[in-house]
Amino acid sequence: MSVTQQQVLDSLGRIKSPRGVALTNANVLSAISAADGKVFFSINVDAAEARAWESVRAEAEAAVRAIPGVTTVMVALTAERKAGATPPPPPTPSRGTPGVQPVHAHKPPQGGGSPMARQSEIPGVAAVIAVASGKGGVGKSTTALNLALGLRDLGLKVGLLDADIYGPSVPRLTGLHEKPELDSDRKMIPLRRFGLAIMSIGFLVEEETAMIWRGPMVMSAVTQMLRDVQWGELDVLVVDMPPGTGDAQLTLAQNVPLKGAVIISTPQDLSLIDARRGLAMFRKVNVPVLGIVENMSYFQCPHCGTKSDIFGHGGARHEAEKLGVPFLGEVPLHMAICASSDAGSPVVDSEPDGPHAAIYRAIAGQVRDQLKGVIAAA
């Protein structure tokens, strides 16, 4: 059953804002995405009123989830301080409904403590690790998938979460395009291929859809894919992060106690500068850096085997030594890796006895060794 935007609007029209106005008339709704039973939108309010709106967000999500045919709902509360805004005036007695304070009377709790206090384990998942890069275009997603497969080959139960909201690559890299189903608890069931449990925002939206989302919407999506997915029993959940050091990275670090991060870089100086920033971010939030991988380390001719250092060579190894973190290995720029990735058949699975699969398994072995004591012995 197809769900339309009008059905969503009709449902939201029955919900009142903190001031008693119908939600659809409160001028706070973003554009609504409704397709294949998946509904996404945000509620955009001033930061001074955010606490008063949280219950409205939850009510809106419940109302949309009750629409026949809706399988997934993601409602984010976007709160921004208006330019030049001054603190709200002290509350005055309301002449409206008895017992109901005006919106400006709703204040967030003072103090609050560290954001890391919100961390909690994902049931059934022994270790969550992030695969990150300071910039895009360094082969992070290809490395994340082949690392997950390398861990699988070492006897571990592995999941892969594609948290790159703006440019999910895992659907293309795995050849998966189905929509996840829901279990009896209305949690999404991850898709399975290559012996991995796999989830991506790309399974919920069409490939050509432009993800024009504000930070809170990104944070909500990452949280939902962590918490509203039935991951089952896993030794390791590998999270393919978006490039950079933004909302998605902080959301992951604040949601779950990450057991480590793997930084992907190319040998170029520009890539290494960005990798340095990524490493510094993880250190700031007390996430262990498991090591650096130099991707596209050299070009290897598929015909004669000659190696050419197109982007330079050894920069990531030198950077790892300088920063005091493990250097996990070099992955060449080779047609076999590129072609298998584009075909949705990663090289560790399609050519398990080849030299490139051996490189990824060696990297996976070093990662596993650093996680000993956290994951069950394979």
Side-chain angles (χ1 to χ4, degrees):
M1 180 184 298
S2 179
V3 179
T4 66
Q5 288 185 353
Q6 190 57 52
Q7 285 177 288
V8 175
L9 288 170
D10 290 344
S11 179
L12 296 177
R14 294 189 287 272
I15 296 171
K16 301 296 183 182
S17 77
R19 291 189 175 90
V21 179
L23 189 55
T24 48
N25 295 329
N27 197 30
V28 295
L29 292 177
S30 71
I32 294 172
S33 171
D36 299 322
K38 314 296 189 296
V39 179
F40 307 97
F41 63 92
S42 63
I43 300 173
N44 310 310
V45 302
D46 183 73
E49 303 180 352
R51 187 168 177 79
W53 279 89
E54 175 52 38
S55 61
V56 177
R57 187 212 65 80
E59 191 178 348
E61 183 172 298
V64 175
R65 197 180 297 278
I67 299 173
V70 170
T71 58
T72 301
V73 183
M74 194 176 295
V75 182
L77 181 62
T78 301
E80 296 185 70
R81 179 76 63 190
K82 292 180 180 177
T86 56
T92 55
S94 172
R95 294 174 182 256
T97 306
V100 178
Q101 292 181 309
V103 170
H104 65 245
H106 294 270
K107 295 181 179 179
Q110 303 300 309
S114 168
M116 298 304 165
R118 297 197 298 267
Q119 288 182 337
S120 62
E121 304 280 357
I122 299 174
V125 178
V128 180
I129 64 171
V131 177
S133 65
K135 62 179 292 184
V138 299
K140 170 183 54 58
S141 296
T142 298
T143 305
L145 174 56
N146 282 294
L147 170 61
L149 292 170
L151 291 167
R152 174 208 66 181
D153 288 351
L154 295 175
L156 302 179
K157 292 176 286 187
V158 185
L160 176 65
L161 169 58
D162 181 1
D164 192 348
I165 301 298
Y166 296 115
S169 301
V170 165
R172 177 63 63 93
L173 294 174
T174 59
L176 289 170
H177 301 286
E178 295 86 3
K179 305 294 183 185
E181 297 180 351
L182 299 182
D183 65 8
S184 57
D185 295 324
R186 299 192 66 80
K187 284 196 172 187
M188 290 181 284
I189 302 172
L191 303 184
R192 296 201 68 88
R193 194 172 186 199
F194 313 123
L196 305 177
I198 304 172
M199 178 55 63
S200 168
I201 192 70
F203 299 150
L204 306 177
V205 298
E206 298 304 321
E207 190 174 51
E208 64 275 9
T209 300
M211 305 296 283
I212 309 173
W213 286 1
R214 296 174 185 236
M217 194 71 171
V218 172
M219 295 162 71
S220 178
V222 172
T223 300
Q224 186 163 1
M225 288 194 297
L226 283 169
R227 300 293 177 191
D228 291 349
V229 173
Q230 184 55 262
W231 288 108
E233 297 294 324
L234 297 178
D235 294 306
V236 183
L237 176 61
V238 177
V239 183
D240 177 21
M241 301 300 300
T245 54
D247 294 314
Q249 287 83 354
L250 289 174
T251 298
L252 183 67
Q254 291 173 3
N255 255 278
V256 296
L258 285 171
K259 298 303 187 288
V262 175
I263 308 294
I264 312 300
S265 180
T266 61
Q268 297 160 289
D269 288 343
L270 283 176
S271 180
L272 291 168
I273 290 170
D274 291 316
R276 209 173 298 141
R277 293 192 185 107
L279 188 147
M281 185 212 69
F282 283 112
R283 281 180 165 171
K284 274 190 175 180
V285 293
N286 298 318
V287 174
V289 176
L290 302 175
I292 298 177
V293 174
E294 183 171 278
N295 200 32
M296 308 181 198
S297 182
Y298 52 87
F299 172 72
Q300 186 169 15
C301 176
H303 304 295
C304 66
T306 300
K307 294 182 179 181
S308 302
D309 298 334
I310 295 177
F311 303 121
H313 183 260
R317 181 189 293 274
H318 175 72
E319 196 67 27
E321 293 171 354
K322 178 180 173 182
L323 296 172
V325 298
F327 179 69
L328 299 177
E330 302 173 347
V331 180
L333 178 62
H334 194 280
M335 286 298 297
I337 298 175
C338 301
S340 63
S341 297
D342 289 343
S345 183
V347 70
V348 172
D349 195 79
S350 60
E351 300 180 21
D353 299 322
H356 305 118
I359 291 172
Y360 285 117
R361 276 196 292 270
I363 293 171
Q366 295 182 70
V367 170
R368 178 201 58 185
D369 291 346
Q370 293 187 68
L371 295 175
K372 280 183 177 176
V374 177
I375 58 177

